[in-house]
Amino acid sequence: MLFNSIDFAIFLPIVFILYWFVVDKDLKLQNLLIVVASYVFYGWWDWRFLSLILFSTLVDYSMGVLLKDEEDKRKRKLFLSISILVNLGLLGFFKYYNFFLDNFITVFTFLGHPIKAQGLNIVLPVGISFYTFQTLSYTIDVYKRKLEPTKDLIAFMAFVSFFPQLVAGPIERATNLLPQFYKKRTFEYDKAVNGLKQILWGLFKKTVIADNAAQIANDIFNNSVDYSGSTLVLGALFFAFQIYGDFSGYSDIAIGTSRLFGFNLMRNFNFPYFSRDIAEFWRRWHISLSTWFRDYLYIPLGGSRGGIGMKIRNIFIIFIVSGFWHGANWTFIVWGMLNALYYMPLLLLGKNRANTNTVAEGKYIPSIKEFFQMTLTFVLTVLAWIFFRAENIGHALSYLSTIFSKSLLSMPYFNKMGKGLMTIILILIFMIIEWLGRDKQFAIEEIGMRWNRITRWFFYAIIIFLIGFYMQTTETPFIYFQF
C-alpha cells in the first residue's frame, strides 16, 4: 500500500478511528490493532511475503528470550549469530543471489573456465533491507545488554512491522521505538496537528517535487545518448531533487503518521542539500541508516581510534557496505566509494566535524564562504548521484563523458521543456521554503505561525491544491521501495 494512494487515504482514517475510539482503553488491544493494520498494509502489496516478516520476528524474539538469562559467552554469541545469519541470509538470498551468481560466472569465464548456471526469478520483498536492520538492532542491543529483552510478543511484532515506517524507514532502533509500545498512549491534539503538517509536506515533496522531477530525469537518463552535456547536467539535477523529495517525503509522511498514533520516530533527513561538506551531508542524509552503520559496523571496527590507516579502512568499509545495501549493482558500490573518496580530505585534515551547526544560523542568507561550500558539496553529491541512477557502470561513464565534452556549452534541450521549466520554478520555491525552515524538524513546522488564521490556511490550501493538481492517475511507488 502506498502513502500516495486512495487505498491509504481510506486505510489511515479507519485505523485511526479504531485506535483512538474503539480500543483506546486497552494498551494490548492498541498494539494488536497496530500489528493487524501493519500486516494488512504490507500484505496489500503481496500477502505471501508476510511470512518473512513473521519468521524474522519470531526468530529475533526467541533469541532475545534465550539471551535474557544466559551468562555463558559462547551460547550468547551463538544466539546472536543465529539472529544475524537468519536475517542477513534472507536478505542476501532475495537481494543478492543473482548478483553474486552473475559475477561468479563472469569471473570464471574470464579465467577460461566458463560455467553454466541459471539465475532465479526472485521477487525482492518490499522493505526487506529496512525491517531486517531494524529487527537486527534488537538482538544486537540485547546481546550487548543495552536493552532488556521483551516478553511481550505482540509489542515486539508491532515494533518490527509498524506500518508507517515498515517499508522505507526510518530504520528505528529497538531502544527508541520498542519501549513506546509498553506505555499507555493518550491523544495529543498539538502532536496530531504537527503530524498532519509533516504528512502534508511529505506529500508535497513526493507528488509536486519528486514525481515531476522524475518524469524529466527518467527521460534524460533513459535517452542520454541523444542529449547534449548541458541537458545531461539538468537530468542529474532533476534526479537529485527527485530522490530527495521522494525519500525525505516518505520519511516525513511516516514520522507524521506515527505522531497521529502517539509515537515519536527518529529524524531521517535534516536539510542535507544545505550541507557545507560531505561529512555534514552524511550527518543529514538518511540519518537512520548512517547512524546504524556507525553504531553496528564502524565503531565495532575501531571507529576513529587507531592510526590513520585504520581510519581510512573503516571509512571505505562503511561507505562501500552502505552502497551495497542500496542494491545489487556495481553502480551502488562505486557510488559508495566515491563518497568515501570525498570524505578522505576531511578525515586526513581532521575537519570532518567542522560543520555541526545550522548553516547561516540566525541569518536569512549564507556568507559567501558558506554559499561556495554548499555549492561545491551539492555539485559533488550530484556527480555521485549519476552512478546511483545509471543502469550500469558503462552508462554512468558514458553519461559523465558527455557532460565533460564540448556539448556542455550548448543550450540544453529535452522533450518536455515546458514541464521542465515549471518544475524548476516549483523546485526553487520548494528550496526557499526549506531554507526558511532549515532549523526546524521539517520546513513548514512553524512557517505561518505568526500569520493570521486566514493567511495560514490559505498557505496550506495552496499546498493541498498543488498536491491534488500534480497527483498522478497511476500509482508512483517511492524510490526506496526497491531497496
Side-chain angles (χ1 to χ4, degrees), residues 82-249:
I82 291 172
S83 171
I84 292 173
L85 287 173
V86 167
N87 284 288
L88 294 187
L90 289 172
L91 178 62
F93 173 75
F94 281 98
K95 194 167 185 175
Y96 302 108
Y97 175 85
N98 284 329
F99 173 80
F100 283 115
L101 179 65
D102 291 344
N103 280 277
F104 273 124
I105 293 172
T106 301
V107 170
F108 277 98
T109 302
F110 177 78
L111 295 174
H113 301 284
I115 58 175
K116 292 183 179 180
Q118 186 67 39
L120 299 178
N121 185 22
I122 299 173
V123 177
L124 180 66
V126 170
I128 190 172
S129 298
F130 291 88
Y131 69 72
T132 296
F133 274 33
Q134 180 155 312
T135 188
L136 269 178
S137 78
Y138 170 77
T139 45
I140 295 172
D141 285 344
V142 168
Y143 172 79
K144 292 181 176 181
R145 302 186 191 278
K146 292 181 178 180
L147 179 70
E148 187 71 18
T150 183
K151 292 182 179 179
D152 189 337
L153 178 58
I154 298 301
F156 187 70
M157 291 177 71
F159 156 71
V160 175
S161 65
F162 191 41
F163 74 87
Q165 45 84 230
L166 173 60
V167 295
I171 302 170
E172 271 298 338
R173 306 297 181 81
T175 49
N176 175 49
L177 183 56
L178 184 56
Q180 295 184 53
F181 287 101
Y182 303 152
K183 301 174 184 176
K184 181 174 175 56
R185 298 174 291 273
T186 55
F187 181 77
E188 299 176 40
Y189 176 79
D190 290 340
K191 190 173 186 176
V193 169
N194 185 273
L196 286 172
K197 287 199 291 186
Q198 192 159 5
I199 292 171
L200 183 67
W201 192 236
L203 286 171
F204 178 86
K205 286 181 177 180
K206 167 61 177 170
T207 60
V208 179
I209 302 301
D211 287 349
N212 277 315
Q215 293 182 46
I216 320 259
N218 290 340
D219 174 59
I220 293 174
F221 270 90
N222 294 340
N223 303 283
S224 57
V225 294
D226 300 327
Y227 290 123
S228 66
S230 57
T231 302
L232 297 195
V233 168
L234 284 180
L237 290 170
F238 277 119
F239 177 71
F241 287 103
Q242 175 197 352
I243 194 169
Y244 174 58
D246 194 286
F247 193 19
S248 70

Side-chain angles (χ1 to χ4, degrees), residues 255-324:
I255 294 168
T257 302
S258 299
R259 287 203 181 113
L260 293 179
F261 295 91
F263 292 90
N264 294 309
L265 299 184
M266 71 178 297
R267 190 177 196 174
N268 212 19
F269 288 85
N270 186 9
F271 308 99
Y273 286 161
F274 300 141
S275 300
R276 289 153 289 183
D277 58 52
I278 288 296
E280 183 183 11
F281 175 84
W282 280 106
R283 287 192 295 273
R284 293 174 175 273
W285 179 276
H286 203 174
I287 299 167
S288 64
L289 180 67
S290 57
T291 54
W292 198 100
F293 279 124
R294 179 197 66 196
D295 295 342
Y296 298 117
L297 182 60
Y298 181 70
I299 292 175
L301 285 170
S304 57
R305 300 187 301 273
I308 192 65
M310 179 181 285
K311 293 177 182 177
I312 292 173
R313 181 203 70 180
N314 293 345
I315 287 296
F316 268 97
I317 288 174
I318 195 172
F319 274 109
I320 291 172
V321 172
S322 176
F324 199 43

Side-chain angles (χ1 to χ4, degrees), residues 59-73 75-80 138-152 182:
V59 167
D60 289 315
Y61 174 81
S62 301
M63 293 307 105
V65 171
L66 291 171
L67 283 166
K68 179 175 174 59
D69 298 317
E70 185 58 66
E71 297 298 330
D72 187 294
K73 290 184 179 180
K75 289 184 178 179
R76 290 182 65 81
K77 286 183 178 179
L78 173 63
F79 298 147
L80 175 63
Y138 170 77
T139 45
I140 295 172
D141 285 344
V142 168
Y143 172 79
K144 292 181 176 181
R145 302 186 191 278
K146 292 181 178 180
L147 179 70
E148 187 71 18
T150 183
K151 292 182 179 179
D152 189 337
Y182 303 152

Side-chain angles (χ1 to χ4, degrees), residues 276 280 283-284 353-361 370:
R276 289 153 289 183
E280 183 183 11
R283 287 192 295 273
R284 293 174 175 273
R353 301 287 299 177
N355 296 304
T356 56
N357 62 330
T358 302
V359 62
E361 195 165 11
E370 288 172 328

